[in-house]
Structure formats: C-alpha cells, structure tokens
Amino acid sequence: MLASAARAAVVLVAVSIIVFAVIALLPGDAVSLRAAGRMTPEQLSTTRSASGLDDPLTTRYFAWLRRIATGDLGTSTSTGRSVASMLGNRLAVSASIVFVALVIVIPLMGVLAVLTSHGAGRRSAGAAAMTAVAALPQIVVAALGAAILSGWAGLVPPVSLLPRDESPLANLDLLLLPALTLALPASAYGALMLRGPLVDAAATAYIVDARMRGVGRMRLAGSYLFPVVVAPAVRVLSFILAGLVSGTALVERIFGLSGLGELFVTSIATRDVPVVQAISMLAATVAVVGMTVADVVAARTTKRDAT
C-alpha cells in the first residue's frame, strides 16, 4: 500500500512538471492578451514583471508546486477570482456527467465483453464492431445521439442547458446525451480490453471442469469467472475513468454545459495559466488515484487467488 502511494506521488510530480512545461510553451500570455496593444512596451514589461512572468521557469515551477501542495490553487489571471471557487462552481456539472457515464459504461462494457468472447467467429466479428465504435470521434457520437434520441425519438433536448439553481443530477434527461457520448466509445474500448482475460479465464482447467460438471451459468460467472477477471476489470475501469474525465472538455463544448472541460478550453484560449494548471492536475490526480486503487485491488486479488 505504501509503495503504491509512493509511486502515485512520484507520478503526480512528474505530471506536474509536464503540465507546467507544456503550458509554458504556449505562445503568448494572459498579460499580453489583456493588453491587446493598449499598453506601451514599458508598461507591458512592468506588468509582466509584477505578475512573475519574467521569473525563471524553475522559480515559477517551485513556487506553483509549493502553492498546490498547500491547497492554494492561485488566482485567475482573467477574472481575478480564486481558482478554487471557479472550479468548485463547475465541478458538480463535470462530476455528474462522468458519474452518469460510468453508470452506463460498467454494465454495458461487461455485457459486450461477454457477448463477444464466445466462439471464434463471434469474437472476430465482435472485435471488429467494438473497434469501430471505440474509434468513433465524440463529435460523431454526439451527432448520432442527438439525431436519434432528440430528433427522431424526441426523448431528450438537443442541448443541455442546466438550471443554475438545481443539482445537475436532478436533470438526468439533460445529462443523457453528454453521458452517452462519453460512454459508448468507452464501453466498446473496455469490452475489447476485457475480451482477452475472459477468453483466457474460460479456458482454464478448473473452469472447464466446472462447466463439464454442469455448474450453472450464473454460478459459473459469479463464483469462477468473476474472481479471475476482477483485477483486469478494475484496471480497465481506471483507464476509462481517466478518459471520461478528459473527454468532458469536448462534450461540454458540444452540448453547451458549463463544466470544468468548457472552462479548461476557455482558459487555454485566454492563457489563464493558474486555471489550466489546476484543472490539468485535478484530472491527473483522478487518473493516478484510480490506477493506484486498481493496482491495490489487483495485488490483493492475486494474493488471495494464490492462497
């Protein structure tokens, strides 16, 4: 457990370096964009210096690292507001989309993996179909979903304008299209990743023996197959969770949702570095924590099976 936590900490530090370096490579900065020719070169230089933009990269990085280590996410260079408050206002929207998407992904991924893991012909056809769905761009999935569920069936609105004074989860009909846009390719990808472990597990001697002894399908799946595939399933879900979190950026822009993804895209355009850094590290933390939990679960499951 301690080793997993230490690895997670090292990974997060490495991610922080990459995030800081990539953002530093972006052309322009918030001061120059705000000035937009309204400042003289002397005024621009003075403002940049006061903002710390002329400090060496290493100095700026370690100052930022010290702040985020203490929970201080800084102040937005575009609005002057606390970054933490800006993220807090939008976190509920993004978290709700990811939650609904996960509720769809988990059972759908399992069903697709099982359906495409029996028979050589079915496995080949299933793999081709799942690969095609997993490769679909989000914009295509969104367009298809809107055409079918909104245009043809009239079940949900084409855009998701959430009321400001209500919880996003209180308006599930508005979250369905964004969640499906994330969930369908993710479910297909997860099914592809789980097919191999399912096929391998079904071919093991003790499961073949159980099947020959007439063990029922439900018991076979719950008592024999599930313990074998739980570790790879948790690992796959950790990768899917990371993809869902990062995927909210485009989905929120498509459906007009004011979440972290939409804020991230806007902040890149305005070079609002503190906001971009905070959202990047939040997404990275979710991914790393998910993968660490998956490693711990996998290690415990393997140890239990070995005994």
Side-chain angles (χ1 to χ4, degrees), residues 39-286:
M39 290 185 182
T40 65
E42 292 77 13
Q43 291 172 326
L44 184 61
S45 177
T46 301
T47 306
R48 283 178 52 85
S49 179
S51 302
L53 294 175
D54 290 335
D55 293 341
L57 284 177
T58 53
T59 302
R60 289 155 53 190
Y61 169 74
F62 284 112
W64 171 60
L65 195 62
R66 283 193 297 270
R67 288 198 304 269
I68 62 173
T70 59
D72 179 12
L73 301 181
T75 303
S76 167
T77 55
S78 296
T79 65
R81 294 172 53 197
S82 164
V83 173
S85 67
M86 293 176 66
L87 267 59
N89 293 338
R90 295 175 179 248
L91 182 59
V93 175
S94 297
S96 298
I97 298 172
V98 172
F99 173 75
V100 175
L102 270 179
V103 170
I104 298 170
V105 165
I106 293 173
L108 183 57
M109 177 183 70
V111 170
L112 292 175
V114 170
L115 289 177
T116 58
S117 62
H118 297 292
R122 185 184 297 178
R123 286 201 297 270
S124 299
M130 293 303 99
T131 301
V133 175
L136 284 175
Q138 286 182 344
I139 187 68
V140 174
V141 180
L144 288 173
I148 296 172
L149 295 179
S150 180
W152 179 68
L155 296 177
V156 295
V159 293
S160 305
L161 301 177
L162 294 170
R164 290 181 177 273
D165 55 346
E166 296 181 18
S167 167
L169 291 176
N171 300 273
L172 289 177
D173 58 326
L174 300 178
L175 295 179
L176 184 57
L177 271 179
L180 279 173
T181 300
L182 288 174
L184 292 181
S187 299
Y189 170 78
L192 282 172
M193 296 299 102
L194 283 180
R195 282 174 64 256
L198 276 172
V199 172
D200 292 342
T204 55
Y206 78 99
I207 291 181
V208 172
D209 178 69
R211 189 183 297 114
M212 293 178 64
R213 286 188 286 108
V215 176
R217 288 188 177 183
M218 295 300 295
R219 185 184 171 195
L220 191 67
S223 301
Y224 291 82
L225 279 175
F226 179 75
V228 177
V229 301
V230 64
V234 172
R235 283 199 176 101
V236 169
L237 278 175
S238 69
F239 283 105
I240 286 177
L241 177 60
L244 294 179
V245 171
S246 61
T248 58
L250 179 57
V251 166
E252 288 171 5
R253 295 288 287 183
I254 293 172
F255 292 101
L257 290 162
S258 297
L260 291 179
E262 189 273 340
L263 178 63
F264 182 75
V265 174
T266 303
S267 298
I268 290 178
T270 58
R271 300 299 187 270
D272 198 340
V273 171
V275 176
V276 176
Q277 290 173 332
I279 296 176
S280 299
M281 288 306 300
L282 177 61
T285 300
V286 170

